[in-house]
Amino acid sequence: MTGRTPFSELRARMSPASQARATAKSGLLEQEMALAELRRAMKLSQEEIAAALNINQASVARMEKRTDMYIGTLRRFVQAMGGELDIIARFPDRQIRIDQFRDLAAPEG
């Protein structure tokens, strides 16, 4: 015996309440990721992102470590992964999409 238990078996042993908490926590983790985690989840390499952005791999590595960047830079990074960036302001009673940055997505020309 290897001493390993399949996750499906471990999950089946959990109480329904524990399973619900684990599912909720998993959902939150999927909603919150750093750029590097998101890129890896999308199964993309830094080299692939660099090629899409026409920059070098070291620049992608630096971007992934930044805690502050221009919205246009973040938008291009997300687009290079095949995504779309939305800016949402959350208030206790509603959510508002900020649209003043939509022109940043338009191609230059």
Side-chain angles (χ1 to χ4, degrees), residues 35 49 52-53 55 63 66 68-81 83-87 100-108:
L35 282 178
I49 298 296
L53 295 173
I55 60 177
M63 288 171 69
R66 293 197 62 164
D68 187 19
M69 71 175 64
Y70 288 113
I71 291 171
T73 302
L74 178 58
R75 182 181 305 277
R76 286 188 300 278
F77 194 103
V78 170
Q79 288 172 337
M81 290 188 285
E84 183 178 311
L85 181 68
D86 287 327
I87 307 295
Q100 89 184 54
F101 305 110
R102 70 175 156 221
D103 291 339
L104 293 175
E108 295 179 23

Side-chain angles (χ1 to χ4, degrees), residues 32-103:
E32 298 179 8
M33 289 186 182
L35 282 178
E37 293 171 316
L38 178 57
R39 175 187 49 76
R40 286 189 294 268
M42 300 296 293
K43 298 185 181 350
L44 295 167
S45 68
Q46 288 182 339
E47 291 82 7
E48 290 169 310
I49 298 296
L53 295 173
N54 200 28
I55 60 177
N56 62 40
Q57 176 272 327
S59 294
V60 172
R62 282 192 300 277
M63 288 171 69
E64 289 180 344
K65 293 176 185 171
R66 293 197 62 164
T67 57
D68 187 19
M69 71 175 64
Y70 288 113
I71 291 171
T73 302
L74 178 58
R75 182 181 305 277
R76 286 188 300 278
F77 194 103
V78 170
Q79 288 172 337
M81 290 188 285
E84 183 178 311
L85 181 68
D86 287 327
I87 307 295
I88 306 291
R90 288 180 176 54
F91 299 93
D93 61 338
R94 64 181 168 233
Q95 297 182 50
I96 307 293
R97 176 180 284 161
I98 308 296
D99 68 357
Q100 89 184 54
F101 305 110
R102 70 175 156 221
D103 291 339

